[in-house]
Amino acid sequence: MASSAMVTANQLIIMEELKLFRTWSSPFALRVVWALDLKGIQYDTIFEDISNKSSLLLQYNPIYKKVPVLVHNGKPLLESLVILEYIDETWKQTPLLPEDPSERATARFWAKFGDDKVLPSIWNVFIKQGKDQEEAIVTAQENLGFVERQLTGKKFFNGETIGLVDLAFGWLANLLSVLEEVCGATLIDHEKFPLLLEWIQNFAYAPIIKESWPPRDKLITKYQAHHEVYTSKEAPK
Ligand SMILES: N[C@@H](CCC(=O)N[C@@H](CS)C(=O)NCC(=O)O)C(=O)O
């Protein structure tokens, strides 16, 4: 009896194989790190070098060839927002999405808006200069304004606890100020975005979340190199 219980336990451990392919800096991979950590799920991490991707990463994600990839019992899950939903459906503790279907749909909308609109508009500020950058700032601030209004009367996007939308916008809590510092533009200040700035503090220093931030000085160096490429004469269009 005891030995069969042990075998069963071992088999269970093997069945629950969970591997996360990520890089040290990927803001998309951080979402997955946070979700697993918030739910207390054990997993192995494989750090990828984006300039020399492993054959396993390419095998698991042959279409986009990107991190994060979460491999659960041999099955690859791709795209960070999809992975967050998979994690939430698979491990029910510490829910990331609300229970109500319309609130769930709304959370998905804002997470998608972040990736479709907010992120590219901020990246545009980072890679543009002069008048083009000024125009890009207007668009980015308009998008950030929509996000700001979602935080009215709330500590996190879902209320009192961290949820999927917070994880989706998590990059704002560290990368935004790195990008601002490197490109010399200011996107958010206390006057225009008081709620967003408060959320950044609440999120960045929240238990679990605060343990995974990549070193800021390394990020500055990385994005300085990007900035030089994008603002040089031979910049990619
Ligand atoms: N939409 C993807 C974006 C993932 C992504 O852009 N990952 C970057 C690292 S931050 C990557 O793997 N880039 C590799 C490449 O472009 O070759 C997601 O949400 O997972």
Side-chain angles (χ1 to χ4, degrees):
M1 186 69 181
S3 77
S4 88
M6 264 174 64
V7 168
T8 310
N10 283 340
Q11 282 170 343
L12 264 179
I13 289 163
I14 292 162
M15 277 175 62
E16 283 301 320
E17 190 187 34
L18 195 60
K19 286 189 229 157
L20 174 62
F21 290 74
R22 60 172 291 201
T23 62
W24 68 271
S25 64
S26 170
F28 304 101
L30 258 188
R31 295 168 171 171
V32 179
V33 170
W34 288 323
L36 292 169
D37 290 352
L38 283 169
K39 283 175 182 274
I41 310 295
Q42 299 292 309
Y43 58 97
D44 293 322
T45 303
I46 294 106
F47 283 98
E48 286 285 335
D49 171 2
I50 282 303
S51 60
N52 182 23
K53 293 169 189 166
S54 72
S55 52
L56 259 186
L57 175 68
L58 299 174
Q59 178 193 316
Y60 285 132
N61 193 355
I63 299 176
Y64 290 121
K65 304 180 176 65
K66 289 186 176 187
V67 294
V69 172
L70 184 68
V71 184
H72 188 199
N73 299 332
K75 286 186 226 143
L77 292 319
L78 311 173
E79 286 294 306
S80 59
L81 294 180
V82 176
I83 298 172
L84 290 190
E85 293 218 29
Y86 176 84
I87 291 171
D88 210 31
E89 284 174 14
T90 306
W91 296 281
K92 305 284 185 201
Q93 66 271 32
T94 321
L96 300 175
L97 278 170
E99 263 185 49
D100 175 75
S102 87
E103 287 176 23
R104 291 167 80 85
T106 302
R108 291 182 180 112
F109 170 86
W110 287 108
K112 187 165 160 24
F113 175 72
D115 281 9
D116 288 353
K117 292 284 182 192
V118 182
L119 185 50
S121 66
I122 289 177
W123 189 250
N124 256 340
V125 173
F126 181 69
I127 63 174
K128 301 237 160 106
Q129 289 173 299
K131 201 170 172 309
D132 289 345
Q133 189 186 57
E134 281 167 31
E135 283 170 17
I137 290 175
V138 173
T139 307
Q141 287 186 329
E142 195 187 343
N143 288 331
L144 286 166
F146 293 123
V147 180
E148 165 90 3
R149 289 194 277 287
Q150 285 308 301
L151 286 163
T152 307
K154 289 187 277 185
K155 183 173 179 187
F156 296 110
F157 286 95
N158 195 30
E160 275 308 297
T161 56
I162 289 174
L164 185 136
V165 182
D166 300 283
L167 302 189
F169 279 113
W171 59 272
L172 277 178
N174 71 329
L175 259 194
L176 180 60
S177 73
V178 168
L179 299 179
E180 283 180 325
E181 185 176 326
V182 172
C183 80
T186 302
L187 276 168
I188 61 173
D189 57 34
H190 278 283
E191 209 180 302
K192 284 198 186 115
F193 299 102
L195 303 179
L196 209 40
L197 279 171
E198 203 181 323
W199 172 85
I200 285 175
Q201 290 298 309
N202 288 334
F203 185 79
Y205 296 102
I208 308 277
I209 302 297
K210 67 178 179 204
E211 286 155 31
S212 310
W213 291 118
R216 184 180 170 85
D217 54 341
K218 265 181 92 179
L219 284 175
I220 295 274
T221 307
K222 176 187 155 96
Y223 284 96
Q224 269 168 345
H226 278 306
H227 194 245
E228 273 165 34
V229 171
Y230 278 98
T231 53
S232 73
K233 284 203 181 94
E234 296 81 36
K237 294 286 171 231

